[in-house]
Amino acid sequence: WQTLPFDVARGAAASGARVFVSLHDFFAVCPRFFRLPPEPAIACPSGTERDPCVRCVAREVGEAEPALRARFARRDAELLAELAAAVERHAPSWPHVRALGQLLPANAPAIEVLEPGLPEPFHRSALEIPRRRTLDEPLRVATWGNHVWMKGLLVLVEALAQLPVPALVELLVLGPFRDDGLERAVRACIAEHRLS
């Protein structure tokens, strides 16, 4: 919803579309996406309280705290209506479902796990023999989105560098770097450990 109207699910459902919502980060409960406050004095709530959230964004938004509290209340109500408009709501893992369940209001619709990837290709026919990865074939890992420090791409590349045989893992990075320093650090790590 960050770059879309906050009624996109309801609008699509009203037009007759079957709506599926993917909750792959914490934007549903955090305007910063990742529950990482800009200063240590602010601690993210462990439940549905929004006062810490108000303090977290107040500086950037430039509104008085009472007005921000009202905006957070409207945001929560709009979000619940959006989730209710969906046929299904998915998250990529059970830990993520549990975390969202603690942070969303108790009357939020259920969220199910839909793990990333597919168990088998769509095109497989009954006559095909399932293809299995061989030991000499690399494990393929992909990451996509806007790459920023907090998403941990550099940590992943550093972990690959520590493998006894790094060539057994192939990393595909899709999407733009939002920080030139991160891109330089990732490329330097790749060069230093001869990962390409």
Side-chain angles (χ1 to χ4, degrees):
W1 289 283
Q2 185 214 11
T3 57
L4 298 169
F6 218 17
D7 63 352
V8 66
R10 287 169 285 174
S15 75
R18 290 174 51 108
V19 177
F20 297 82
V21 170
S22 172
L23 299 162
H24 57 276
D25 57 28
F26 283 102
F27 184 69
V29 293
C30 175
R32 293 186 186 279
F33 293 86
F34 304 111
R35 291 176 45 86
L36 291 172
E39 56 188 71
I42 300 171
C44 291
S46 58
T48 58
E49 182 194 7
R50 298 294 183 243
D51 280 348
C53 306
V54 168
R55 290 193 305 277
C56 185
V57 301
R59 200 175 333 159
E60 286 95 345
V61 176
E63 285 187 31
E65 288 193 6
L68 276 177
R69 277 190 201 86
R71 284 182 66 182
F72 268 100
R74 281 194 310 275
R75 184 181 193 276
D76 283 344
E78 295 288 320
L79 176 75
L80 288 176
E82 284 288 272
L83 294 177
V87 174
E88 291 181 15
R89 293 140 299 272
H90 301 133
S93 68
W94 285 115
H96 195 61
V97 168
R98 282 191 295 274
L100 286 170
Q102 293 170 352
L103 301 168
L104 289 168
N107 60 337
I111 301 167
E112 300 296 327
V113 171
L114 180 64
E115 294 179 357
L118 299 170
E120 59 185 38
F122 280 122
H123 65 272
R124 179 168 294 161
S125 75
L127 299 175
E128 285 185 81
I129 298 171
R131 180 178 174 273
R132 299 205 182 275
R133 193 169 142 281
T134 62
L135 291 176
D136 59 342
E137 186 178 8
L139 171 66
R140 289 178 178 89
V141 177
T143 178
W144 58 90
N146 295 317
H147 298 289
V148 294
W149 286 96
M150 66 186 72
K151 288 188 176 182
L153 178 59
L154 182 58
V155 174
L156 176 58
V157 173
E158 289 170 342
L160 294 177
Q162 295 178 33
L163 292 173
V165 184
L168 289 179
V169 178
E170 181 181 288
L171 176 62
L172 178 61
V173 178
L174 303 169
F177 282 87
R178 294 297 182 195
D179 185 302
D180 292 339
L182 173 61
E183 183 173 8
R184 283 192 301 274
V186 168
R187 291 187 184 282
C189 186
I190 289 169
E192 177 186 349
H193 298 286
R194 298 185 184 103
L195 295 177
S196 60

